[in-house]
């Protein structure tokens, strides 16, 4: 057996207690290796871990849900085709919050993932399995999906690098939809360079996703060699309260490091960002309630109902059984904000505020080349700490959701640890399609640590 595969399988066994993987592609990996050996590409011989909401033909695609526990993907997602063309091997499927709803990976039907840095703490979510697998050394490369922070926040909690591309930069074909106007697939890796490599492979137009863009893809690896960023905008007004003091210390340190590099740090204002949690939890739940309607026990999902007397009863018995509590909460909220009488008050208004948040960012990018923010206002929380308090969990998404609302790219890079050794991350945001620029500054920060 090739050494890389043996090492990966050993690492899976050694780290089993962390529960990072739902499916290890043990049976398929040798075959993958044989098939890919002749392909010389950017990911030649590299093992890539895939979040379990991205379809890989022949492997289960559970989305962390009891509903899809036995669902086998009938085709490869676009990103999977690209990885194979570039010589990468699909290592397996990583644990996640059910249907990518959550910030801690505790809402998985397969049990929580633990943070490898300190297993009493959550790894973040919803791509917690992917981030924890990279942090635990299973592989240096993983894919996650980010609807409101699910790549960047777990990267920050686990001390790895996570990048959410511009909306439309990567095809969503084969990604199980949560909120289609916000979802993007992106890399979780050990280093910034690896993030650039994986993004290079998966980015670009795909006719099967009408929202994927035909704007030419940058050469991200050469972008790493450039030094384009002169000015960095920081919305200091958002950092006055609600920030853990240790997160603040690491953030201020990062700002000081960048100043020492000769970067200009500007105070920018994002006046509508305070509405972003409200806007996000209206739009994301509305879209989710529609996307998840297909899980009815007929078209998709396990059929549980045996004695229903009507079709509605049949659906509701299946959905009652299949979905977990958080998913049900979101479907109910989403259905409510879309219902007649409330549509204008909630959904239509949230769309208008979405525009204002977008405009705030556009204005800020006229003043500064990139923006800098903490990835998450708090340190990785303890398992169970927020699981019964959804609002507290939602509030921790304050710095990530606005980025999806505006469609811009963001990268979270490690920024040191707390006194108790818990990782802290900072995120660099760029304007649309400026992944090269944020990768480059991310690498600068990485080299200064
Ligand atoms: N934590 C956010 C949520 O629960 C983001 C999820 C995501 O990006 N998939 O919705």
């Amino acid at each position: 057996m090739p050494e890389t595969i043996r090492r990966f399988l050993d690492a899976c066994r050694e780290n089993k207690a962390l529960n990072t993987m739902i499916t290890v592609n043990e049976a398929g990996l040798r075959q993958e290796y044989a098939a890919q050996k002749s392909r010389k590409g950017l990911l030649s011989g590299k093992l890539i871990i895939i979040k379990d909401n991205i379809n890989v033909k022949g492997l289960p695609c559970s989305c962390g849900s009891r509903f899809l526990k036995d669902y086998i993907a009938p085709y490869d997602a676009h990103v999977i085709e690209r990885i194979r063309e570039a010589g990468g091997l699909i290592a397996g499927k990583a644990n996640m919050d059910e249907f990518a709803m959550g910030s801690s990976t505790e809402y998985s039907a397969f049990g929580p993932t633990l943070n490898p840095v300190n297993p009493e703490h959550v790894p973040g979510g919803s791509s917690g399995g992917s981030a924890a697998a990279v942090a635990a050394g299973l592989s240096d490369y993983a894919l996650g999906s980010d609807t409101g922070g699910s790549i960047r926040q777990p990267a920050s909690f686990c001390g790895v690098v996570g990048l959410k591309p511009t909306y439309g930069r990567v095809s969503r074909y084969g990604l199980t939809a949560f909120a289609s106007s916000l979802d993007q697939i992106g890399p979780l890796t050990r280093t910034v360079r690896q993030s650039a490599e994986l993004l290079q492979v998966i980015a670009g137009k795909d006719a099967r996703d009408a929202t994927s863009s035909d704007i030419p893809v940058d050469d991200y690896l050469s972008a790493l060699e450039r030094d384009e960023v002169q000015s960095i905008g920081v919305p200091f007004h958002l950092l006055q309260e609600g920030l853990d003091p240790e997160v603040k210390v690491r953030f201020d340190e990062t700002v000081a490091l960048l100043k020492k590099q000769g970067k200009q740090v500007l105070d920018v204002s994002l006046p509508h960002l305070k509405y972003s949690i409200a806007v996000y939890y209206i739009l994301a739940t509305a879209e989710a309630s529609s996307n998840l309607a297909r899980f009815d026990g007929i078209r998709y999902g396990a059929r549980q109902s045996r004695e229903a007397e009507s079709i509605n009863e049949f659906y509701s018995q299946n959905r009652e059984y299949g979905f977990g509590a958080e998913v049900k909460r979101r479907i109910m909220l989403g259905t409510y904000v879309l219902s007649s009488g409330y549509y204008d008050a909630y959904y239509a208004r949230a769309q208008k505020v979405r525009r204002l948040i977008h405009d705030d960012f556009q204005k800020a990018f006229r003043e500064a080349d990139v923006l800098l923010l903490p990835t998450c206002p708090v340190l990785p929380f303890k398992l169970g700490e927020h699981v019964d308090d959804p609002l507290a969990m939602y509030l921790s998404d304050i710095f990530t959701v606005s980025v999806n609302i505006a469609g811009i790219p963001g990268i979270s890079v490690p920024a040191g640890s707390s006194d108790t050794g818990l990782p802290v991350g900072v995120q660099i945001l760029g304007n649309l399609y400026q992944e090269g620029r944020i990768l480059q500054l991310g690498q600068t920060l990485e080299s200064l640590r």
Side-chain angles (χ1 to χ4, degrees):
M1 182 185 305
E3 178 61 17
T4 44
I5 297 184
R6 200 182 51 72
R7 264 204 314 244
F8 166 70
L9 295 176
D10 285 348
C12 286
R13 273 187 285 275
E14 278 159 30
N15 293 288
K16 195 146 184 52
L18 295 173
N19 198 24
T20 61
M21 304 295 288
I22 292 180
T23 306
V24 175
N25 190 15
E26 191 152 3
L29 259 177
R30 269 180 219 242
Q31 242 178 338
E32 297 247 352
Y33 185 81
Q36 309 301 316
K37 221 158 70 182
S38 53
R39 301 211 179 130
K40 287 278 161 277
L42 216 41
L43 298 176
S44 212
K46 304 271 197 275
L47 276 79
I48 323 292
I49 290 166
I50 312 294
K51 186 177 183 178
D52 209 20
N53 58 351
I54 299 171
N55 283 267
V56 177
K57 187 174 178 177
L59 292 186
C61 191
S62 75
C63 297
S65 179
R66 176 152 80 162
F67 228 158
L68 292 177
K69 195 168 63 59
D70 301 315
Y71 180 74
I72 306 290
Y75 67 98
D76 276 338
H78 176 76
V79 292
I80 302 299
E81 294 174 353
R82 286 289 185 89
I83 287 172
R84 294 193 203 279
E85 283 159 18
L89 318 179
I90 305 303
K93 307 295 294 291
N95 200 6
M96 56 182 284
D97 285 298
E98 184 175 7
F99 289 107
M101 298 174 184
S103 310
S104 68
T105 316
E106 293 170 288
Y107 297 139
S108 165
F110 298 82
T113 296
L114 312 183
N115 191 323
V117 179
N118 180 339
E120 285 177 15
H121 292 258
V122 302
S126 62
S127 313
S130 299
V134 172
L138 270 59
S139 170
D140 281 353
Y141 300 83
L143 283 184
S145 68
D146 192 312
T147 305
S150 279
I151 291 175
R152 290 159 289 150
Q153 186 257 20
S156 163
F157 277 18
C158 292
V160 301
V161 177
L163 185 148
K164 183 203 86 80
T166 305
Y167 184 77
R169 184 68 300 177
V170 176
S171 167
R172 291 177 291 113
Y173 177 76
L175 168 71
T176 308
F178 161 12
S180 313
S181 80
L182 303 160
D183 298 339
Q184 270 293 289
I185 298 173
L188 284 135
T189 53
R190 185 165 291 282
T191 68
V192 173
R193 172 166 287 272
Q194 290 162 344
S195 183
E197 289 167 0
L198 190 45
L199 181 63
Q200 195 78 61
V201 168
I202 62 174
K205 177 72 185 166
D206 168 29
R208 296 165 298 187
D209 171 4
T211 62
S212 78
S213 164
D214 51 16
I215 292 177
V217 176
D218 271 355
D219 181 341
Y220 300 123
L221 291 170
S222 45
L224 292 179
E225 313 303 324
R226 295 198 289 265
D227 186 11
E228 292 181 338
V229 176
Q230 300 310 324
S231 55
I232 298 165
V234 178
F236 286 104
H237 65 103
L238 294 174
L239 309 177
Q240 303 305 326
E241 50 190 76
L243 204 56
D244 183 287
E246 295 209 73
V247 173
K248 176 99 170 67
V249 169
R250 295 285 95 89
F251 182 78
D252 291 345
E253 225 172 64
T254 307
V255 171
L257 278 174
L258 288 167
K259 279 188 182 159
K260 229 167 115 194
Q261 291 298 300
K263 307 289 179 204
Q264 193 190 356
V265 174
L266 307 168
D267 189 4
V268 296
S269 159
L270 299 167
H272 298 93
L273 240 71
K274 56 176 181 277
Y275 305 119
S276 54
I277 293 274
V279 167
Y280 173 81
Y281 279 95
I282 291 171
L283 297 181
T285 56
E287 293 185 29
S289 74
S290 161
N291 276 326
L292 269 56
R294 75 193 64 175
F295 300 102
D296 55 15
I298 298 179
R299 289 171 295 175
Y300 290 97
R303 183 171 309 186
Q304 192 59 25
S305 170
R306 295 274 172 266
E307 51 212 47
E309 285 175 9
S310 68
I311 187 71
N312 277 340
E313 203 185 320
F314 176 81
Y315 289 154
S316 60
Q317 285 176 359
N318 291 331
R319 286 162 74 81
E320 164 63 35
Y321 169 83
F323 289 137
E326 179 61 19
V327 174
K328 287 177 185 153
R329 230 177 341 255
R330 304 235 186 164
I331 291 173
M332 286 192 286
L333 189 57
T335 308
Y336 174 77
V337 300
L338 287 177
S339 58
S340 70
Y342 295 106
Y343 181 95
D344 285 333
Y346 296 110
Y347 185 77
R349 182 170 299 189
Q351 290 286 31
K352 289 182 187 153
V353 183
R354 179 177 199 170
R355 186 72 208 179
L356 297 175
I357 292 170
H358 166 273
D359 293 348
D360 277 3
F361 277 113
Q362 289 311 314
K363 183 165 166 287
F365 286 124
R366 283 197 286 276
E367 294 163 24
D369 295 333
V370 298
L371 305 180
L372 187 76
L373 271 171
T375 308
C376 185
V378 293
L379 294 170
F381 25 94
K382 284 218 159 117
L383 273 129
E385 196 176 326
H386 289 333
V387 78
D388 297 321
D389 185 359
L391 194 58
M393 192 95 90
Y394 298 172
L395 288 175
S396 72
D397 296 336
I398 175 89
F399 295 136
T400 46
V401 294
S402 54
V403 176
N404 303 69
I405 290 171
I408 58 176
I411 187 171
S412 177
V413 293
S417 326
S418 71
D419 289 347
T420 53
L422 295 169
V424 175
V426 296
Q427 59 175 339
I428 306 161
L429 312 179
N431 208 345
L432 300 167
Y433 301 100
Q434 290 181 346
E435 283 80 0
R437 200 176 261 198
I438 61 174
L439 280 161
Q440 193 281 317
L441 192 68
Q443 194 182 51
T444 301
L445 279 181
E446 180 177 72
S447 70
L448 293 172
R449 302 219 161 255

